Amino acid sequence: MASLAILKTLIRELITTERSSRVPEPDLIMDDPDKVEAFRKAGEINGVMAPVYIFHCAQICDIIKPGDNVIDLGCGPANQLGLVAKCNPDIQFTGIDLSTEMLDKANTYIKAEKLSNVNLQQDDISKLSSIKDQSVDAIFSTVVLHHLPDVKHFFDTFKQIKRVLKPGGGLYIVDFAHLKSEKSINYFAYQYADRQPELFTLDYLYSLRAAFSVQNFKEVTNQYLKNDAQFHSMFMLPFMVAIKSPNRREADQKIFDQLSQARIAMPDYHKTDIKDLIHLFGKGGMKSQFLR
């Protein structure tokens, strides 16, 4: 069962008559060194994003398989990409980002972790000019699309995903969806304000305000991915939504054990976070063989 705070927010979203407007990110490319560093720290093993990264890693592992060529759209400092790459040493990954500062952080991280199966590339995810048609086995992107300036760039990104992905390829795209109430937006933004840098809290707030609508996600799924992937939303609370293809690999005990050990080592409040994600996305029809 979801936590009490999540249930209260769910009820608010169900009964509110408010309709908050989308406000694009003030910085469409995150190049400010302080903001980049705050984001990187949030993704460390004990950072506020750690349970989210484990949840997404499990979903991503469902749709990739040994021998694949996989790209991460908007890899940022590579915390998420690095976790997936560690779990899948027999897969080749390319992290794509437009921010030079992010790619510098990602390069430092990859070298420090000695990840030989990860490359980095600078490109615009709404253009993917460096990627050939139908050349990629799988694509994932985690909480990046809200950085796009407008709906046109949002649709262009999915057009490019459709172009570069091989038929039958794997796909996992997840991001925030725009909430109705500003109070709900503020709840999630400031939920862990006492455990994270103020810059990260503000960036989180801006991200939630910049999220695209559930309808936008449904439209791109139907237009570009109707026969390849399925739209999912957190049950009754579209705080986060995902587009995921069918599983492409069989269960792997080694990956399951790695993620289980990471969960066991978490503090209790992080364990609650990942349980909420598993429960609410599970009720919305999205599950992973690597999470129980």
Side-chain angles (χ1 to χ4, degrees):
M1 185 175 179
S3 63
L4 180 60
I6 292 292
L7 290 174
K8 287 181 178 179
T9 306
L10 186 156
I11 293 169
R12 182 191 305 116
E13 285 294 299
L14 287 174
I15 65 175
T16 186
T17 58
E18 185 182 351
R19 294 295 182 271
S20 62
S21 300
R22 180 181 188 260
V23 180
E25 288 263 14
D27 300 315
L28 297 178
I29 302 174
M30 192 184 289
D31 267 334
D32 179 88
D34 291 335
K35 290 184 179 180
V36 170
E37 180 61 13
F39 187 81
R40 185 197 66 78
K41 285 184 177 180
E44 290 180 340
I45 191 65
N46 291 317
V48 69
M49 295 295 291
V52 181
Y53 284 164
I54 290 174
F55 177 83
H56 295 325
C57 182
Q59 307 295 336
I60 293 163
C61 289
D62 284 335
I63 58 94
I64 59 179
K65 59 184 181 180
D68 275 353
N69 170 31
V70 180
I71 61 175
D72 175 6
L73 299 182
C75 66
N79 298 75
Q80 179 74 79
L81 174 57
L83 178 59
V84 179
K86 288 175 187 176
C87 290
N88 297 275
D90 46 6
I91 294 176
Q92 187 64 41
F93 297 90
T94 299
I96 293 177
D97 207 285
L98 194 55
S99 166
T100 302
E101 188 73 25
M102 281 292 192
L103 289 174
D104 286 345
K105 290 287 185 184
N107 188 52
T108 299
Y109 173 76
I110 288 164
K111 287 182 177 179
E113 297 296 321
K114 299 180 180 179
L115 294 173
S116 60
N117 60 333
V118 178
N119 296 310
L120 298 173
Q121 202 160 292
Q122 190 168 33
D123 204 343
D124 183 335
I125 66 171
S126 67
K127 296 178 180 178
L128 293 181
S129 55
S130 61
I131 309 295
K132 295 180 180 179
D133 294 0
Q134 295 186 0
S135 63
V136 179
D137 295 298
I139 296 172
F140 68 90
S141 180
T142 56
V143 198
V144 168
L145 299 181
H146 62 271
H147 284 284
L148 295 167
D150 51 41
V151 172
K152 180 185 182 302
H153 284 81
F154 180 80
F155 272 75
D156 285 348
T157 298
F158 281 90
K159 183 178 180 180
Q160 293 306 313
I161 288 171
K162 179 67 174 178
R163 177 182 67 81
V164 305
L165 188 62
K166 292 179 181 179
L171 184 68
Y172 179 68
I173 307 291
V174 64
D175 205 347
F176 304 121
H178 201 85
L179 294 169
K180 299 174 185 177
S181 167
E182 187 70 18
K183 189 172 182 178
S184 298
I185 289 173
N186 276 274
Y187 163 72
F188 283 112
Y190 289 93
Q191 184 180 15
Y192 295 132
D194 59 333
R195 303 174 195 160
Q196 61 199 28
E198 183 180 3
L199 277 174
F200 181 82
T201 299
L202 288 174
D203 184 65
Y204 195 6
L205 176 64
Y206 298 149
S207 296
L208 293 174
R209 287 176 172 167
F212 291 95
S213 70
V214 170
Q215 186 59 33
N216 290 150
F217 281 95
K218 289 181 177 179
E219 287 172 357
V220 291
T221 304
N222 289 332
Q223 184 167 341
Y224 296 112
L225 304 165
K226 189 172 183 179
N227 299 317
D228 304 309
Q230 186 176 352
F231 170 83
H232 299 277
S233 172
M234 295 175 74
F235 180 63
M236 298 181 72
L237 178 64
F239 166 61
M240 298 189 81
V241 296
I243 300 170
K244 185 181 180 184
S245 63
N247 290 2
R248 296 176 62 246
R249 77 188 301 163
E250 297 179 357
D252 186 318
Q253 188 64 41
K254 184 177 180 181
I255 293 175
F256 179 82
D257 290 343
Q258 282 180 280
L259 297 181
S260 295
Q261 289 168 11
R263 289 176 64 184
I264 290 169
M266 286 179 170
D268 288 343
Y269 54 84
H270 278 176
K271 291 176 182 177
T272 298
D273 287 346
I274 198 166
K275 284 180 181 178
D276 282 340
L277 285 167
I278 293 169
H279 177 78
L280 292 171
F281 262 121
K283 287 289 186 180
M286 188 177 78
K287 299 180 180 180
S288 171
Q289 62 190 317
F290 300 110
L291 293 173
R292 294 176 193 163

